[in-house]
């Protein structure tokens, strides 16, 4: 018996009927949101997101608890996405799923579910890079940016300036060397006694505060990279010192502290983004990822682009934080190039862009 031949036989890929306007089911489970969406051609038919409250008790995402919550949520979330879309599961032409980057356990839940469902329906599984999908969230709604454009992708685990030459050709020009922008928000919130995830709460308090009341340092990082760990330490010492003078300092000045921290984080991001645009000679700019839901960043980004005469694109709030729609949209672009996975598809927690 020839082992080599039998091995080759098992690698023959099934032939799928190619559709010009496929119906794609997108599944996201890389962190603490279980989400599923249905895309028909370019039209989004449904987008269901189930968050996970359990992590609030611990002040951050607990991977094992996230995996268990995904296991509980994935069947009802996918079922609802299919029902909301008004289709039958037999209408689906491909299942796009986040395979990384993200937490291994949560990724395993989504990937195994998608593989099993795709095998049952005899349709392709489409492995998706989560960071690529955040960028492609810009194609869910019109108007979408034209290529080439730059994207500042800011999430809980990543901070990247990406050059986007086509839907599937992306190059990271700069990224954080330590904490992500979302982490800077969340860790500051924790220091101030606010619950997880603190980013949206800092945003809320910042709306009533003075952004110039307290001054925090801007790190000197070469090129287009970022660093947020020094800022976190500066805020830690600032709070510690001020509390020595007045135990209630944080409570009394919460709005101004939040506004000042948000001002610093968003100016660090925008200063580098402007530098990247000038360096690349690109005048179409976009922002994406959970932190792009921040009202201060959205305002500063829009104002800066308007001043420079550049085109700017900001996703709708629901497509900034993790969602199945962006995974389905990335899946659509990958489907067109027939970039399918197979039985050997596995999660890649450190999947680079
Ligand atoms: O993209 P995302 O939903 O998940 C990851 O891929 O990480 O981003 C989550 C991050 C969290 O750090 C959260 O605090 C932050 O986005 N975030 C915000 C806001 N909404 C979400 N940060 C600041 N202001 C907001 N409004
Ligand atoms: Zn994300």
């Amino acid at each position: 018996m020839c082992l080599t031949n039998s091995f080759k036989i098992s690698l023959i890929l099934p032939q799928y009927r190619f559709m010009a306007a496929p119906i794609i089911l997108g599944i996201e489970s890389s962190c603490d949101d279980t989400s599923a969406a249905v895309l028909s051609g370019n039209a989004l038919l449904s987008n269901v997101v189930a968050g996970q409250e359990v992590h609030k008790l611990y002040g951050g995402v607990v991977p094992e608890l996230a995996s268990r919550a995904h296991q509980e949520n994935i069947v009802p979330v996918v079922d609802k996405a299919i029902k909301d879309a008004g289709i039958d599961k037999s209408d689906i032409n491909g299942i796009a799923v986040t395979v990384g980057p993200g937490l291994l356990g949560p990724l395993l839940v989504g990937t195994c579910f998608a593989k099993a469902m795709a095998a049952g329906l005899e349709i392709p599984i489409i492995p998706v890079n989560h960071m690529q999908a955040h960028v492609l969230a810009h194609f869910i709604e019109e108007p979408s940016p034209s290529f080439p454009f730059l994207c500042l992708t800011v999430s809980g685990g990543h901070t990247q300036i990406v050059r986007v030459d086509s839907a599937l050709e992306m190059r990271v020009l700069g990224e954080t060397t330590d904490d992500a922008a979302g982490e800077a928000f969340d860790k500051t919130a924790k220091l101030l006694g606010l619950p997880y995830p603190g980013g949206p709460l800092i945003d809320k308090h910042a709306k009533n505060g003075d952004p110039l009341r307290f001054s925090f340092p801007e790190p000197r990082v070469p090129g287009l990279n970022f660093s947020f760990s020094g800022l976190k330490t500066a805020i830690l010492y600032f709070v510690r010192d001020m509390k020595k003078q007045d135990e209630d300092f944080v409570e009394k000045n919460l709005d101004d502290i939040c506004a000042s921290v948000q001002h610093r984080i968003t100016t660090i991001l925008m200063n580098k983004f402007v530098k990247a645009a000038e360096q690349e000679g690109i005048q179409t700019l976009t922002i994406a990822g959970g932190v792009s839901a921040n009202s201060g960043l959205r305002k500063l980004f829009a104002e800066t682009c308007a001043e420079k005469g550049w085109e700017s694109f900001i996703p709708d709030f629901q497509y900034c934080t993790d969602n199945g729609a962006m995974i389905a949209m990335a899946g659509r672009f990958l489907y067109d190039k027939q970039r399918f996975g197979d039985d050997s598809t596995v999660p890649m927690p450190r999947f680079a862009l």
Side-chain angles (χ1 to χ4, degrees):
M1 178 184 162
C2 172
L3 275 178
T4 325
N5 278 349
S6 62
F7 182 62
K8 271 186 192 150
I9 288 165
S10 73
L11 280 182
I12 293 173
L13 289 173
Q15 292 297 307
Y16 300 111
R17 198 157 68 93
F18 183 76
M19 311 294 286
I23 294 187
I24 307 281
L25 170 68
I27 298 177
E28 158 62 30
S29 73
S30 65
C31 190
D32 60 346
D33 290 306
T34 319
S35 183
V38 175
L39 188 74
S40 174
N42 289 326
L44 184 67
L45 302 184
S46 65
N47 184 41
V48 179
V49 184
Q52 303 180 356
E53 291 293 310
V54 64
H55 306 292
K56 280 203 170 114
L57 292 170
Y58 303 92
V61 177
V62 183
E64 182 53 33
L65 295 179
S67 308
R68 290 176 197 200
H70 283 303
Q71 272 182 322
E72 275 174 25
N73 292 342
I74 197 148
V75 172
V77 164
V78 168
D79 191 49
K80 184 161 174 19
I82 292 171
K83 285 197 176 117
D84 285 1
I87 59 157
D88 186 82
K89 64 179 184 306
S90 60
D91 297 325
I92 301 168
N93 303 116
I95 302 182
V97 63
T98 306
V99 293
L103 301 167
L104 179 59
L107 288 170
L108 258 175
V109 176
T111 309
C112 292
F113 180 91
K115 275 167 79 172
M117 187 166 171
L121 295 172
E122 296 183 5
I123 54 175
I125 177 178
I126 310 165
V128 170
N129 180 302
H130 182 87
M131 299 314 292
Q132 191 170 44
H134 267 305
V135 177
L136 296 175
H138 283 285
F139 294 87
I140 298 170
E141 288 184 327
E142 295 288 334
S144 45
S146 46
F147 302 109
F149 63 87
L150 295 185
C151 186
L152 173 69
T153 320
V154 271
S155 70
H158 291 78
T159 302
Q160 300 179 329
I161 296 177
V162 185
R163 181 185 163 113
V164 188
D165 284 297
S166 74
L168 303 179
E169 284 170 282
M170 300 187 188
R171 189 157 51 88
V172 178
L173 303 176
E175 60 192 330
T176 184
T177 52
D178 41 54
D179 290 351
E183 267 177 295
F185 273 107
D186 295 338
K187 287 179 177 172
T188 302
K190 204 171 179 178
L191 270 171
L192 300 176
L194 299 171
Y196 180 87
L201 290 171
I202 298 229
D203 192 353
K204 193 173 149 214
H205 285 284
K207 287 193 176 114
N208 306 317
D210 174 2
L212 302 178
R213 168 93 188 278
F214 304 112
S215 165
F216 297 106
E218 174 155 12
R220 291 179 192 199
V221 186
L224 297 176
N225 285 335
F226 299 94
S227 166
F228 287 102
S229 66
L231 177 64
K232 178 188 64 193
T233 312
I235 297 166
L236 176 77
Y237 289 156
F238 167 77
V239 169
R240 185 198 60 188
D241 294 346
M242 297 309 267
K243 272 182 144 180
K244 275 185 198 154
Q245 295 166 30
D246 178 359
E247 189 49 39
D248 299 327
F249 173 79
V250 170
E251 290 72 27
K252 286 181 188 159
N253 297 282
L254 189 58
D255 292 348
D256 288 346
I257 302 173
C258 288
S260 302
V261 169
Q262 179 170 296
H263 172 72
R264 178 44 80 219
I265 295 175
T266 55
T267 49
I268 291 171
L269 291 169
M270 270 319 293
N271 288 348
K272 280 287 164 98
F273 202 21
V274 166
K275 189 172 171 186
E278 285 168 350
Q279 198 170 296
E280 294 293 306
I282 291 183
Q283 304 197 340
T284 304
L285 270 62
T286 68
I287 54 175
V291 179
S292 66
N294 181 266
S295 57
L297 180 62
R298 291 168 90 90
K299 187 163 174 279
L300 180 64
F301 172 66
E303 284 171 0
T304 309
C305 288
E307 268 167 33
K308 300 264 183 194
W310 297 342
E311 249 194 318
S312 63
F313 293 84
I314 304 179
D316 193 72
F317 282 105
Q318 58 183 319
Y319 307 128
C320 292
T321 46
D322 291 349
N323 64 89
M326 69 183 196
I327 306 303
M329 184 48 79
R332 168 72 213 275
F333 285 111
L334 292 160
Y335 180 96
D336 287 348
K337 298 277 180 212
Q338 304 203 32
R339 293 222 204 142
F340 302 148
D342 57 27
D343 286 354
S344 65
T345 298
V346 286
M348 292 187 275
R350 296 184 180 276
F351 195 1
L353 194 60

